[in-house]
Amino acid sequence: MIPLKSNKDLENLRVSGKILAHVMGKLQDLIDVGIATSEIDNLAEKLIRKEGAIPAFKGYKGFPASVCISINEEIVHGIPGPRKLKEGDIVSIDLGVNLGGYFTDAAITVSVGRADPKTRKLIQVAKDSLSAGIKQAAVGKHLTDISYSIQNFVERHGFSVVRQFVGHGIGVNLHEEPEIPNFGQAHQGPVLKSGMVLAIEPMVNMGTWESSILENGWTAVTGDGLPSAHFEHTVAVTENGPEILTK
Ligand code: MG
């Protein structure tokens, strides 16, 4: 069963999402050559707590930081540390906010200075594939209409979608039913209803869709070492269409 949120829940999730969007904007401003990923993490935690919220990832299944920061061939779940950003790197920031038990989750990928044209295209296609997926988060659509539209968009542009990680329901827990793959046939799975809240998060690779996990037990990397981009929003399915809570 996919849990449905009440109007009151949605009110709280909007506030949680607003905090997340605010913090994400500040983190994006910090991205520059020479910044250590731990500095981004420290600022994220400080800003989230200042708003009276909790970094949702910190301690989640033992994750040691407040944000996941994944660079270049790292897909997701990169752990912040002393590594400094370099010109031409691409950086994914994945952030979760828990405001009094209301969870939102979002991710962006940005380049440090100027990335090469193909990498910039990868970022744009990943971003636009999220928009394509969000459009399908409408009452009466099937869950996998989201999946199909993301995969179709990405592959049309010559890139691939990660299979190992998927989007998820969210709201009163960080991860809820259902799983939302970024690939597959259209018109499958449950019919979307008003009150569902979904974290839609395409991970798009320049080369192979295959991935593996580093020895730290967390960080996922591409099978061929080529870069990967990740975008995510928390989206409510409403009678008025998809509502992005983390914008
Ligand atoms: Mg997520």
Side-chain angles (χ1 to χ4, degrees):
M1 274 298 284
I2 303 174
L4 299 179
K5 285 8 181 223
S6 66
N7 286 333
K8 178 83 192 140
D9 292 334
L10 285 177
E11 283 304 316
N12 288 316
L13 286 167
R14 283 186 190 106
V15 181
S16 174
K18 216 164 233 133
I19 293 170
L20 193 158
H22 163 73
V23 174
M24 189 68 96
K26 297 285 184 194
L27 300 184
Q28 187 168 356
D29 290 345
L30 187 66
I31 298 289
D32 203 355
V33 174
I35 294 288
T37 55
S38 58
E39 293 176 64
I40 301 167
D41 184 55
N42 291 340
L43 180 64
E45 176 159 16
K46 197 176 106 193
L47 292 173
I48 291 170
R49 293 197 189 275
K50 195 173 153 196
E51 299 291 335
I54 297 169
F57 297 168
K58 193 153 196 180
Y60 182 80
K61 295 184 178 172
F63 190 76
S66 297
V67 281
C68 300
I69 301 179
S70 308
I71 302 174
N72 298 336
E73 78 286 359
E74 297 173 351
I75 300 168
V76 283
H77 305 160
I79 301 173
R83 180 172 178 179
K84 289 188 163 74
L85 302 179
K86 295 205 301 276
E87 176 81 23
D89 280 345
I90 62 168
V91 188
S92 303
I93 302 174
D94 191 353
L95 184 60
V97 166
N98 169 6
L99 178 69
Y102 288 94
F103 291 80
T104 49
D105 191 356
I108 58 168
T109 301
V110 293
S111 61
V112 182
R114 203 164 165 81
D116 67 82
K118 194 169 181 191
T119 305
R120 292 208 304 273
K121 184 183 169 197
L122 174 74
I123 293 174
Q124 191 62 47
V125 167
K127 187 175 186 180
D128 292 344
S129 78
L130 173 58
S131 302
I134 289 172
K135 269 191 205 143
Q136 302 297 318
V139 173
K141 295 275 190 183
H142 285 266
L143 181 72
T144 71
D145 292 336
I146 298 170
S147 316
Y148 172 82
S149 62
I150 290 171
Q151 182 178 23
N152 183 264
F153 185 88
V154 168
E155 292 183 353
R156 248 192 302 137
H157 289 85
F159 298 128
S160 68
V161 288
V162 170
R163 310 296 200 270
Q164 194 175 3
F165 301 94
V166 297
H168 50 94
I170 186 169
V172 294
N173 291 289
L174 182 58
H175 293 109
E176 299 180 1
E177 293 278 302
E179 290 195 342
I180 311 168
N182 297 302
F183 55 93
Q185 293 183 335
H187 313 312
Q188 314 285 310
V191 174
L192 300 182
K193 291 185 188 148
S194 182
M196 291 180 179
V197 178
L198 309 172
I200 303 173
E201 51 175 323
M203 287 147 259
V204 177
N205 293 354
M206 186 180 283
T208 180
W209 56 263
E210 289 176 303
S211 55
S212 61
I213 309 280
L214 296 184
E215 273 177 19
N216 66 21
W218 280 104
T219 311
V221 296
T222 58
D224 53 12
L226 290 176
S228 182
H230 179 207
F231 283 86
E232 176 176 24
H233 270 309
T234 297
V235 180
V237 179
T238 80
E239 294 296 346
N240 302 318
E243 179 183 343
I244 301 174
L245 300 175
T246 44
K247 189 142 79 176

